[in-house]
């Protein structure tokens, strides 16, 4: 699995987890489906491709502002849970940086 594919799966998992555990939906709701499609599309169009830098730099920064806020909320909720439910995804994964970098240091 390449980097982009792996990241797609991480994003998918996070959004599903958020919708299920936070919003208590059985199936992915419309809003979450939209953000998922959006996120996957961003990854498809990521100009960095296989040289993609960490999530702290990308893809967050090419998101539209409202999508950025939403995905951040999702990542904050699902990130720590993903480590519990799917530890394999978090190995070497940079979303951790986004979650655990102290606020002041983030650009
Ligand atoms: Zn939802």
């Amino acid at each position: 699995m390449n980097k982009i594919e792996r990241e797609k799966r991480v994003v998918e998992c996070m959004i599903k987890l958020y919708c299920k555990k936070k919003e208590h939906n059985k199936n992915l709701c419309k809003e979450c489906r939209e953000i998922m499609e959006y996120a996957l599309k961003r990854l498809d169009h990521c100009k960095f491709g296989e040289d993609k830098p960490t999530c702290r730099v990308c893809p967050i920064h090419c998101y539209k502002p409202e999508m950025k806020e939403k995905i951040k909320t999702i990542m904050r909720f699902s990130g720590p849970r993903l480590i519990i439910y799917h530890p394999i995804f978090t190995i070497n994964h940079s979303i951790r940086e986004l979650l655990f970098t102290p606020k002041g240091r983030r650009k």
Side-chain angles (χ1 to χ4, degrees):
M1 202 173 3
N2 68 35
K3 225 171 169 179
I4 295 286
E5 286 306 312
R6 193 170 59 213
E7 219 149 292
K8 277 184 185 172
R9 287 185 60 183
V10 171
V11 166
E12 260 180 47
C13 272
M14 281 195 173
I15 295 169
K16 280 180 190 163
L17 206 67
Y18 178 85
C19 200
K20 202 170 162 185
K21 302 278 178 191
K22 180 79 199 280
E23 300 179 334
H24 306 288
N25 294 317
K26 238 184 194 164
N27 299 307
L28 207 61
C29 71
K30 192 174 165 280
E31 210 185 323
C32 290
R33 205 161 47 225
E34 269 172 23
I35 185 101
M36 190 189 278
E37 277 168 18
Y38 184 81
L40 296 181
K41 215 179 273 172
R42 297 311 321 161
L43 281 168
D44 272 338
H45 293 168
C46 181
K47 61 180 175 179
F48 296 108
E50 278 304 284
D51 296 322
K52 190 177 178 307
T54 65
C55 292
R56 188 162 52 88
V57 190
C58 176
I60 296 296
H61 292 255
C62 65
Y63 278 36
K64 285 191 288 188
E66 68 267 31
M67 289 297 194
K68 194 158 139 181
E69 282 316 305
K70 175 85 182 172
I71 198 86
K72 269 184 172 172
T73 307
I74 291 172
M75 282 181 175
R76 261 189 227 115
F77 178 85
S78 295
R81 285 163 183 82
L82 203 70
I83 293 166
I84 299 164
Y85 294 121
H86 302 282
I88 193 158
F89 283 140
T90 60
I91 295 169
N92 201 22
H93 200 267
S94 45
I95 284 171
R96 209 182 290 177
E97 267 183 66
L98 178 82
L99 292 162
F100 301 123
T101 305
K103 250 190 180 158
R105 282 174 49 206
R106 217 181 288 156
K107 279 197 182 143

